[in-house]
Structures are given as C-alpha cells and as structure tokens.
C-alpha cells in the first residue's frame, strides 16, 4: 500500500449546500489524503452537523469547531493538528478531479524550497456565470500566457496550494486576522524566504461563479469566515 498524500485543509462557514460535493471529491482522490481537516467557523445552516455525520462514516475526515475563525486562522488551526508532512488547501464551493492531490504531491516532492499551486477554471452553467468567471479569473487576475499547457492558465490561489508543514512553520503560518487576502501574504512570505512558486496545470480546481448580480455584489462567504 502506498503512503498517504498530503492532508487536505478546508475552512468553512455556512456551506451546507456545497461541502458534501467537495468531500465526495476528496474521498475519490487517486492519492488517498492522510486526512481531511475541515474547520467550521460557527455555521448555523447545518454545515457542522453534516460534517459530523460524514466524519462518523469516513475516519479520514476530522472536523474542528473554531467559532469566528477567519480563513487564515482556520487553516492554521488545522495545519497545527496534522501529522502529515504536507498539506493542500481547498475552499468549499469548489470541485476537484480524482487526480488533483496526486498531481500536487508529485510536483511538491519532498517539499524543500517549493510551494505548488493548481489551476482555477470557472464551472459556469449559464452565460452570466461565464461572464462572472471571466471577470474573476481573467480580467482581474491576468493568466500566465506562457503556461505549460500552451493556453492561458490562472493559478488557483488559496483554493489549491500545496506546501510542506515545515514551510508553513517557517512563514509563521497564515495571517490570522484578515477576512481575505491571507493567502497572498502567506505565499509572499514564502517567496521572500526563497521558496519557488510552481504552477501545476493538471491540478485543476473548478469554481462555481456567482449566479446573478445580487450574489456578485454581495461579499463572498469566504470573506465572512
């Protein structure tokens, strides 16, 4: 039996409509994660109860309750508790294929001097969602036009990093007090420490864009975590 892969870390708040699908994706990984650590920041929509029920049926899933946690604090709480040497990050509302974790782990290697990031793609179902996806992933975040796939790619960011726990320690963890943007500061710190940021085009994270103008204007749930 092969060694398990990195621990998957997911911060959540009121994600009962999305988290089950993502947990199914995590359970279907070709490289079995060491564990899946989900940090609930005080959900009131049934998310925590759903997570507890899933954890009773899937031993690799561990659920932590940290009321009021920001995404950065949630990730820190989870990473501090894992026994795996490396972690991969995801956000609720995203979907990944069965090879996502294996691709990241292969690119990371022993984790020395490297942090890997997958590629984001909009999982758009309507013309509005396609436009919202383009605005978010292309207009506001210019793609790497020299990507190894020979087509524009957009790094998945907080929703798809893979790095060693030692790298996390050296960086001092994620900034715990920010409602958003903690991933950029975390990776900036790693790069200042000499870590290489390596895109992994085959590690695709599919993300559902906002479905209408009201949702597009409303602050994201991840920012309220």
């Amino acid at each position: 039996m092969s060694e398990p892969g990195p621990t998957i870390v997911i911060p959540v708040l009121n994600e009962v409509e999305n988290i089950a699908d993502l947990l199914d994706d995590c359970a279907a990984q070709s490289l079995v994660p060491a564990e899946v650590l989900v940090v609930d920041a005080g959900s009131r929509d049934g998310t925590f109860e759903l997570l507890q029920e899933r954890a009773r049926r899937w031993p690799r899933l561990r659920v932590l309750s940290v009321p009021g946690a920001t995404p950065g604090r949630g990730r820190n709480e989870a990473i501090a508790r894992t026994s795996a040497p490396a972690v991969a990050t995801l956000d609720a509302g995203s979907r990944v294929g069965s090879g996502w974790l294996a691709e990241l782990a292969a690119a990371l290697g022993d984790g020395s001097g490297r942090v890997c990031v997958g590629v984001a793609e909009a999982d758009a179902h309507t013309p509005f969602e396609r436009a919202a996806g383009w605005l978010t992933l292309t207009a506001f975040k210019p793609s790497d036009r020299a990507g190894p796939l020979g087509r524009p790619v957009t790094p998945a960011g907080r929703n798809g990093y893979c790095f060693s726990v030692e790298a996390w320690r050296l960086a001092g963890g994620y900034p715990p007090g920010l409602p958003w943007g903690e991933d950029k500061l975390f990776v900036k710190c790693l790069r200042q420490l000499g870590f290489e940021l390596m895109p992994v085009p085959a590690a695709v994270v599919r993300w559902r864009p906002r479905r209408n103008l009201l949702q597009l204007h409303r602050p994201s749930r991840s920012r309220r975590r």
Side-chain angles (χ1 to χ4, degrees):
M1 182 179 295
S2 61
E3 291 293 320
T7 287
I8 298 174
V9 171
I10 309 170
V12 298
L13 176 63
N14 296 329
E15 294 286 358
V16 72
E17 296 180 359
N18 303 307
I19 192 60
D21 287 340
L22 182 54
L23 292 177
D24 288 343
D25 290 349
C26 292
Q29 292 300 301
S30 59
L31 176 62
V32 177
E35 55 188 340
V36 177
L37 284 170
V38 182
V39 183
D40 185 89
S43 296
R44 297 183 178 180
D45 66 344
T47 298
F48 186 67
E49 291 75 16
L50 183 152
L51 291 168
Q52 289 181 309
E53 192 275 332
R54 291 290 293 259
R56 284 191 288 269
R57 295 189 283 115
W58 187 27
R60 290 192 184 271
L61 174 61
R62 292 174 58 195
V63 184
L64 306 176
S65 177
V66 187
T70 62
R73 182 186 171 195
R75 291 190 182 90
N76 288 339
E77 295 279 353
I79 297 169
R81 288 167 169 78
T82 185
S83 59
V87 299
T89 63
L90 283 172
D91 278 347
S94 301
R95 303 296 305 273
V96 291
S98 61
W100 171 78
L101 189 62
E103 294 289 348
L104 287 175
L108 184 67
D110 64 6
S112 59
R114 181 177 298 172
V115 54
C116 297
V117 60
V119 171
E121 290 185 357
D123 182 20
H125 298 190
T126 67
F128 182 91
E129 290 178 9
R130 284 192 289 273
W134 178 82
L135 285 171
T136 303
L137 298 180
T138 304
F140 297 155
K141 296 179 181 179
S143 300
D144 175 9
R145 305 257 171 205
L149 288 183
R151 61 176 173 79
V153 297
T154 302
R158 67 196 282 171
N159 207 9
Y161 284 120
C162 186
F163 47 87
S164 69
V165 173
E166 180 60 23
W168 170 79
R169 290 196 184 101
L170 289 171
Y174 283 89
L178 298 178
W180 66 87
E182 77 291 337
D183 57 308
K184 295 179 178 62
L185 291 179
F186 175 69
V187 172
K188 180 180 179 181
C189 181
L190 286 175
R191 298 188 77 171
Q192 290 174 339
L193 290 170
F195 283 79
E196 174 192 8
L197 181 62
M198 173 175 286
V200 185
V204 176
V205 178
R206 302 192 312 279
W207 161 79
R208 184 82 182 266
R210 297 296 182 178
R211 303 180 189 184
N212 52 55
L213 284 172
L214 180 61
Q215 289 187 356
L216 193 64
H217 175 71
R218 186 183 305 155
S220 70
R221 282 172 295 200
S222 63
R223 292 184 180 185
R224 297 202 303 270
R225 291 193 190 117

